[in-house]
Amino acid sequence: MPVEGTWDLSVATPIGRIKAVAEFRREKGALTGTAHGAGEDVPLGDVVLDGDRLSWNQSITKPMRLNLAFTVQIDGDTLTGTSRAGRLPASKVTGVRRTGRAGAEHRP
């Protein structure tokens, strides 16, 4: 299932709901990406698509310094799954793929 494109994400964390944008693309046959949110842009690491299961890692500094590991299931233009920060409890992640709508270039 293709994952390339821009996804609006919502992560339900213990400190509240965080909105972010994830962009996935193929470069030289490999999946890569960037996340945008909380005033920072960060590269995605270890992006792996296995069937409809997508996983990646990213490091953030806002609202606090964390290393996050995402695992989600893709179903068409939606995704659901979790994000983990070390030993902290998993946070629920939901997302919707942007489709050519007006204002699609907006970042949170």
Side-chain angles (χ1 to χ4, degrees), residues 33-46 56-70 83-86:
T34 306
H36 314 280
E40 65 182 342
D41 298 337
V42 297
L44 305 182
D46 300 322
W56 73 90
N57 298 318
Q58 69 185 75
S59 296
I60 61 171
T61 61
K62 299 176 185 176
M64 64 184 67
R65 186 175 302 277
L66 294 170
N67 295 318
L68 304 173
F70 287 79
S83 170
R84 290 195 81 95

Side-chain angles (χ1 to χ4, degrees), residues 5-104:
T6 303
W7 295 78
D8 291 310
L9 304 179
S10 179
V11 184
T13 74
I15 61 170
R17 188 164 301 278
I18 296 175
K19 301 283 186 182
V21 174
E23 297 176 332
F24 296 96
R25 61 195 167 280
R26 251 188 223 280
E27 294 180 356
K28 299 178 184 175
L31 267 176
T32 64
T34 306
H36 314 280
E40 65 182 342
D41 298 337
V42 297
L44 305 182
D46 300 322
V47 182
V48 175
L49 180 64
D50 183 10
D52 62 354
R53 183 176 178 265
L54 175 67
S55 61
W56 73 90
N57 298 318
Q58 69 185 75
S59 296
I60 61 171
T61 61
K62 299 176 185 176
M64 64 184 67
R65 186 175 302 277
L66 294 170
N67 295 318
L68 304 173
F70 287 79
T71 303
V72 299
Q73 294 291 125
I74 307 258
D75 184 8
D77 290 333
T78 62
L79 61 78
T80 56
T82 59
S83 170
R84 290 195 81 95
R87 295 182 185 179
L88 295 175
S91 296
K92 182 179 178 183
V93 177
T94 58
V96 177
R97 185 191 324 245
R98 291 185 184 173
T99 56
R101 68 176 195 262

